[in-house]
Amino acid sequence: QMGLVESGGGSVQAGGSLKLSCTLSGYARNAYYQAWFRQAPGKEREGVAAFVGGGAGTIYYADSVKGRFTISRDLPRDTLYLQLDALEPEDTAMYYCAARQFYRTGFQPLSNAYDAWGQGTQVTVSS
């Protein structure tokens, strides 16, 4: 069983910053893929950033957030982070962390095919 609980969302003005946290439990702690997604009202859920593999891992970002968002993790604390900088109103969405336990050939880290999801934390950016 995998557990994920997000926190850290809030309301900020454009140009501001937030840091989201995702506490991992069960198999999510050692999942091969760990990622952040977001879903804005009326839009499909999109992958934002992902870790692939253990240790330092390999990091992937969506083009829309490259240079502004940073994914990181604290393995001893079983926590995944997403630092959001230079926020824009278009970043307003519910943000979710997700985990997929096992490696799969050809798996796209920013696709939606993850095994477990958190409940989400809302980020609202005003202009």
Side-chain angles (χ1 to χ4, degrees):
Q1 190 169 359
M2 293 194 281
L4 306 97
V5 179
E6 303 94 337
S7 62
S11 297
V12 297
Q13 291 192 323
S17 297
L18 284 172
K19 187 171 186 176
L20 309 183
S21 300
C22 174
T23 301
L24 308 167
S25 62
Y27 296 123
R29 293 161 41 199
N30 298 310
Y32 195 81
Y33 305 91
Q34 298 170 334
W36 286 95
F37 288 76
R38 67 184 181 185
Q39 187 166 21
K43 294 188 176 181
E44 292 187 355
R45 186 166 54 193
E46 64 169 338
V48 173
F51 264 111
V52 176
T58 301
I59 293 175
Y60 295 81
Y61 290 104
D63 289 343
S64 58
V65 306
K66 275 181 186 174
R68 299 189 301 121
F69 292 6
T70 305
I71 190 172
S72 63
R73 60 190 177 186
D74 185 334
L75 295 175
R77 295 180 182 268
D78 296 327
T79 305
L80 185 70
Y81 300 102
L82 186 68
Q83 176 70 40
L84 292 68
D85 295 317
L87 281 162
E88 304 168 351
E90 293 73 23
D91 297 316
T92 294
M94 187 73 78
Y95 284 71
Y96 302 88
C97 58
R100 182 181 173 94
Q101 187 175 357
F102 297 118
Y103 168 82
R104 191 185 82 181
T105 301
F107 180 74
Q108 298 300 313
L110 298 181
S111 71
N112 282 313
Y114 277 71
D115 302 325
W117 298 81
Q119 83 289 348
T121 186
Q122 178 68 38
V123 171
T124 303
V125 184
S126 58
S127 57

